[in-house]
């Protein structure tokens, strides 16, 4: 599975995903050019790790409507973004290995 990760990775979810056999590309900023460069058009999962970049969910879905949206971050999503998210996980409740295994 191809995963585009937007944000930092303080919990090590990239390593966990790669150990499960997933391909991960990182976009430091979730704007259109950053997402396109990270390969969002061909991705299966959009993984957001920073709530501050929640607006990027709408951009990602515009570029690839079939994306599965996963948020792995502390805090809460704005209403507009939570309607587009398929899964929201707090890293304090579930470790990166468990999330990677479930994807």
């Amino acid at each position: 599975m191809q995963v585009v990760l937007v944000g930092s990775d303080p919990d090590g979810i990239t390593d966990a995903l790669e150990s499960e056999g997933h391909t991960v590309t990182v976009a430091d900023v979730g704007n259109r050019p950053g997402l396109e460069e990270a390969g969002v058009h061909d991705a299966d999962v959009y993984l957001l790790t920073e709530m501050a970049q929640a607006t990027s969910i709408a951009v990602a879905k515009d570029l690839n409507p079939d994306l599965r949206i996963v948020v792995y971050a502390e805090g809460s999503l704005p209403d507009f973004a939570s309607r587009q998210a398929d899964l929201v996980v707090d890293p304090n409740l579930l470790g990166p290995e468990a999330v990677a295994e479930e994807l």
Side-chain angles (χ1 to χ4, degrees):
M1 173 179 341
Q2 289 185 279
V3 178
V4 170
L5 185 143
V6 172
S8 61
D9 188 10
D11 299 301
I13 196 158
T14 299
D15 292 337
L17 287 165
E18 289 175 343
S19 72
E20 287 290 325
H22 304 301
T23 303
V24 180
T25 54
V26 177
D28 294 326
V29 178
N31 58 18
R32 183 175 292 270
L35 292 173
E36 288 177 334
E37 187 175 317
V40 75
H41 292 290
D42 299 319
D44 303 297
V45 173
Y46 174 83
L47 178 61
L48 180 68
T49 60
E50 293 178 3
M51 292 293 187
Q53 295 198 56
T55 56
S56 65
I57 292 173
V59 177
K61 287 294 274 187
D62 183 52
L63 293 170
N64 182 346
D66 298 325
L67 276 176
R68 183 172 178 203
I69 306 296
V70 178
V71 179
Y72 188 66
E74 293 180 29
S76 59
L77 281 171
D79 287 338
F80 74 89
S82 64
R83 289 189 294 267
Q84 293 181 307
D86 296 300
L87 179 64
V88 179
V89 179
D90 185 326
N92 294 316
L93 300 176
L94 197 59
E97 292 81 13
V99 173
E101 187 177 313
E102 290 301 314
L103 291 179

